[in-house]
Amino acid sequence: MQTAEHPVLETRGLTIRFGGHVAVNEVSCSFHPGTLTAIVGPNGAGKTTYFNLVSGQLRPSAGRVLLFGEDVTDDPAPVRTRKGMGRAFQLTNLFPLLTVRENVRLAVQARARSGLNMVSMWGRQSELIEKAEHFLHRVGLAERSASLASTLPHGDQRKLEVAMLLALEPDIFMFDEPTAGMSVAEVPVILELIHDIKNQKDKTILLVEHKMDVVRSLSDRIIVLHQGALVADGNPAEVIASPIVQEAYLGVSASA
Amino acid sequence: MRAIDTLLSGDLPRSRLLALALGAILFALALAPFLFPGTRSLDVAAKVCIFIVLVASYDLLLGYTGIVSFAHTMFFGIGGYGIAIAMTRLDAGWSALAIGTAGALAVSLVLSLLVGLFSLRVKAIFFAMVTLAVASFFAILASQLSDLTGGEDGLTFKVPEFLRPGFRLLDEPVLGVVFGGKLITYYLVFTSALALFLGLLRAVNSPFGRVLLAIRENEFRAEALGYRTVVYRTLANCLSALVATLAGVLYALWLRYTGPNTTLDFAIMIDILLMVVIGGMGTMYGSILGTTLFIVAQNYLQDLMKMASGATRGIPLLPDLLHPDRWLLWLGVLFVVCVYYFPLGIVGRLRHGGARKG
Ligand SMILES: Nc1ncnc2c1ncn2[C@@H]1O[C@H](COP(=O)(O)OP(=O)(O)O)[C@@H](O)[C@H]1O
Ligand SMILES: [Mg+2]
């Protein structure tokens, strides 16, 4: 998938080693606005680790990360977030003893850059509160907004994770298996949300997803990671049909 | 109702019993000179006011931010020494008081900023060790620089005339209470403490305060949302240090004295920790209950035991156990029982079952 536009995000030779184990191996790839790129690969392929390198949770052993053409490899995670990256985590990662509304509100507030305000009352910033409610509504959690995050069932925690990502209003959305562990009935809400973001045209979406039907219907492009290396990159039909995917990812022997 | 909500920054007691207890303490402190005449009880009341602020500012660190610091008494001491030095070196007037306070705040700000920036990035235990080392160093410095600080003896100083015990506002006592410098000083301490407490309550219930809670809950996630947690922790550390400094100013002003034993002693640091834990960490109101209970027990337990010991005369063993000399033992027992039965502190207990609202 090549567009004339400048890439929003680019990784060059991105590599990380844990001891002797190379979890991400020289991944070079660029991402363009208005496209949804699915990242697939078997468990342990390095997808989450690649995300961690891109959004700054981990520092690479080698390689660079470029955001809007600027080298952000040395920027810590919060700085990259402020520059437009947004991330939803694979393993649910919330503020368990705060309410659902407060969780989203913290994301809204981060986006509004008003976290250093020491004199206003948290409970009276109606604009930010309404915004938080809006995002909760979008993921279908409005009714639970006063519950503690830790009391939510798993599927709702995943939705909250997505609501927090939406509330950051980033340029780059990184979803790490957003529907994993959700019941069949819950999945469409999330997929529709991702579809809506895609329809905004100016957003860049990276999606790690296992369900092949989801990948096929949503993505403009698929990249395949295998043992940390990028082994395929192209339009969905091609990539899914390629022998390397049939073998490496779907576990089908190429000769079969 | 909305005015109260604003005053308390939307953080209402959320428990009838807690509201009652807080109301009673506020009432008692506000009218202490009239309710409990006598030098000793007024001393206790003033100390309660000041330590509520000191303990609340420590709760901002420990309870709200999850930072363990042993340097809180150092900042308390900087406030005390700040005005003591200014008052002994300059004319003992309001301007010396202002200069001493401003100087102390500046020193505390720089120190807390340095300690924070150098050590808050790394592990919590390292920060605790650094604060311990810095505070010990400061205590040694204070006792060594005796020309400036009065060494182990400390500094006794004159306060502005208006605040001196000899000063009379009215010639005759009213309702048996002398309207003089002591009363004025008490109300200066009381209103300052009230304002500082409400200010802290606002800080922890502001957007900033909620980020502190978020950091305590899940620092990794707070970073991912774009909050630079080092900045928040450092600011919390500075704010806490500045308020402790002001508490030190008030304490020195009340005692007209500053010395190692009233400010820098490590035993005071332990007391602060106990008061926070007994009251309930991360609640602010806990500092009011914890401090009041602690200081009243510290001051009146001996009297109470003397009475109990007398009353149980003739019963074997009991009078011995209740002998006033055993008061420290009983204080210790009281704390262990408190912490054991109320792991969330008294406030946590009173609010039991009530979930925090958004
Ligand atoms: N912090 C870490 N330390 C050591 N090994 C790690 C760490 N994070 C990930 N790994 C290893 O890197 C590999 C890739 O993991 P991961 O990125 O989570 O895979 P995926 O998300 O594709 O399932 C795995 O073998 C995993 O054990
Ligand atoms: Mg993963």
Side-chain angles (χ1 to χ4, degrees):
Chain A
M1 178 102 199
Q2 292 300 319
T3 63
E5 274 177 277
H6 205 56
V8 170
L9 175 69
E10 187 181 350
T11 66
R12 291 188 187 155
L14 207 56
T15 302
I16 190 166
R17 294 179 205 95
F18 296 114
H21 177 67
V22 188
V24 171
N25 195 356
E26 301 209 15
V27 175
S28 296
C29 197
S30 19
F31 303 91
H32 294 267
T35 53
L36 188 151
T37 307
I39 300 170
V40 302
N43 270 327
K47 305 179 297 291
T48 298
T49 306
Y50 181 63
F51 267 18
N52 283 336
L53 291 170
V54 169
S55 61
Q57 272 76 30
L58 286 174
R59 290 301 151 87
S61 311
R64 319 297 313 169
V65 178
L66 282 81
L67 183 60
F68 298 110
E70 180 197 357
D71 189 334
V72 295
T73 317
D74 295 323
D75 285 347
V79 174
R80 295 189 203 187
T81 304
R82 285 160 165 259
K83 288 179 176 169
M85 272 188 200
R87 167 102 188 258
F89 290 86
Q90 177 181 6
L91 299 173
T92 304
N93 203 331
L94 306 166
F95 303 110
L97 297 181
L98 298 183
T99 64
V100 169
R101 184 193 293 122
E102 284 178 317
N103 270 268
V104 180
R105 168 74 188 281
L106 279 161
V108 172
Q109 175 175 292
R111 166 76 201 184
R113 306 269 193 279
S114 63
L116 289 174
N117 179 343
M118 293 189 194
V119 292
S120 298
M121 275 167 65
W122 163 268
R124 292 238 184 110
Q125 294 194 304
S126 40
E127 202 177 307
L128 300 188
I129 296 171
E130 272 162 33
K131 248 188 160 167
E133 293 291 349
H134 163 76
F135 291 113
L136 281 172
H137 194 79
R138 280 189 65 186
V139 298
L141 270 184
E143 271 98 77
R144 302 302 305 263
S145 63
S147 316
L148 294 186
S150 58
T151 63
L152 291 185
H154 178 79
D156 284 351
Q157 292 197 353
R158 305 292 305 154
K159 288 183 197 162
L160 178 52
E161 184 76 44
V162 171
M164 289 165 80
L165 173 57
L166 296 179
L168 280 177
E169 302 180 77
D171 298 306
I172 301 167
F173 288 76
M174 301 168 73
F175 292 97
D176 197 347
E177 304 194 27
T179 63
M182 276 191 171
S183 70
V184 180
E186 290 171 316
V187 173
V189 181
I190 300 300
L191 297 186
E192 218 166 286
L193 275 169
I194 296 175
H195 201 81
D196 285 350
I197 298 165
K198 196 180 148 182
N199 281 342
Q200 288 176 30
K201 300 294 181 206
D202 57 341
K203 304 297 184 189
T204 309
I205 306 172
L206 277 63
L207 170 70
V208 172
E209 181 57 70
H210 273 302
K211 302 186 180 79
M212 264 307 160
D213 50 332
V214 171
V215 170
R216 200 179 277 119
S217 71
L218 276 178
S219 59
D220 304 305
R221 167 192 181 195
I222 298 179
I223 61 179
V224 183
L225 288 183
H226 184 58
Q227 294 178 352
L230 196 160
V231 293
D233 180 351
N235 73 54
E238 264 173 34
V239 172
I240 290 172
S242 69
I244 193 150
V245 169
Q246 293 292 316
E247 188 172 6
Y249 183 63
L250 299 173
V252 182
S253 156
S255 56
Chain B
M1 222 26 231
R2 189 166 164 95
I4 291 180
D5 192 62
T6 306
L7 213 57
L8 300 183
S9 305
D11 190 357
L12 301 174
R14 299 198 304 282
S15 145
R16 193 171 298 251
L17 221 57
L18 177 58
L20 227 74
L22 292 172
I25 293 171
L26 179 66
F27 180 78
L29 290 176
L31 297 176
F34 303 92
L35 297 173
F36 320 107
T39 316
R40 179 166 168 220
S41 47
L42 202 59
D43 271 339
V44 171
K47 190 172 174 185
V48 168
C49 290
I50 292 159
F51 270 69
I52 285 175
V53 174
L54 185 63
V55 170
S57 61
Y58 193 69
D59 192 26
L60 171 69
L61 271 192
L62 184 68
Y64 284 85
T65 323
I67 298 175
V68 179
S69 161
F70 292 109
H72 213 56
T73 44
M74 174 178 82
F75 297 114
F76 189 51
I78 289 174
Y81 278 104
I83 67 161
I85 292 169
M87 298 302 249
T88 46
R89 304 255 151 170
L90 307 169
D91 263 350
W94 293 106
S95 53
L97 187 60
I99 291 169
T101 306
L105 286 173
V107 171
S108 287
L109 183 64
V110 170
L111 264 179
S112 60
L113 208 60
L114 284 179
V115 171
L117 286 179
F118 275 112
S119 51
L120 279 175
R121 288 172 185 280
V122 283
K123 290 218 180 313
I125 182 75
F126 183 65
F127 180 77
M129 303 302 263
V130 169
T131 56
L132 191 60
V134 172
S136 308
F137 176 71
F138 189 84
I140 293 168
L141 207 65
S143 74
Q144 294 296 307
L145 297 175
S146 49
D147 284 346
L148 192 65
T149 62
E152 291 298 322
D153 296 333
L155 291 169
T156 304
F157 58 92
K158 280 210 171 85
V159 293
E161 192 186 345
F162 201 50
L163 302 177
R164 288 179 200 159
F167 177 79
R168 288 286 173 275
L169 205 58
L170 302 174
D171 290 336
E172 296 298 318
V174 179
L175 302 166
V177 177
V178 177
F179 278 69
K182 201 81 190 170
L183 190 84
I184 296 169
T185 311
Y186 179 77
Y187 279 108
L188 181 66
V189 166
F190 173 78
T191 45
S192 307
L194 186 63
L196 284 170
F197 179 83
L198 292 176
L200 281 172
L201 194 61
R202 173 56 61 94
V204 299
N205 287 291
S206 68
F208 173 77
R210 214 46 61 109
V211 178
L212 295 185
L213 282 187
I215 293 172
R216 187 193 68 183
E217 289 274 293
N218 187 346
E219 177 170 6
F220 175 85
R221 186 55 158 146
E223 289 253 323
L225 286 182
Y227 294 113
R228 278 168 300 184
T229 57
V230 185
V231 173
Y232 285 83
R233 289 170 164 218
T234 304
L235 282 176
N237 190 44
C238 292
L239 183 63
S240 161
L242 291 179
V243 176
T245 305
L246 290 175
V249 167
L250 291 176
Y251 200 39
L253 201 61
W254 176 256
L255 298 174
R256 284 169 281 130
Y257 166 81
T258 293
N261 299 330
T262 58
T263 55
L264 299 176
D265 196 340
F266 196 68
I268 299 177
M269 194 60 241
I270 303 289
D271 289 352
I272 295 173
L273 264 163
L274 279 171
M275 290 186 250
V276 170
V277 171
I278 290 170
M281 286 196 289
T283 62
M284 276 296 141
Y285 292 119
S287 61
I288 296 184
L289 295 189
T291 304
T292 307
L293 208 75
F294 188 95
I295 291 180
V296 169
Q298 214 177 27
N299 282 279
Y300 293 105
L301 198 61
Q302 268 180 300
D303 296 352
L304 206 72
M305 288 174 64
K306 200 178 287 174
M307 276 162 49
S309 175
T312 52
R313 205 184 319 246
I315 306 173
L317 209 62
L318 264 186
D320 267 351
L321 269 178
L322 293 173
H323 191 276
D325 288 351
R326 309 271 175 285
W327 76 280
L328 256 177
L329 172 76
W330 285 103
L331 198 63
V333 170
L334 207 68
F335 295 148
V336 172
V337 168
C338 235
V339 172
Y340 188 82
Y341 283 104
F342 310 143
L344 298 175
I346 301 169
V347 170
R349 181 78 203 185
L350 291 176
R351 282 175 170 175
H352 188 69
R356 275 176 9 77
K357 285 186 304 189

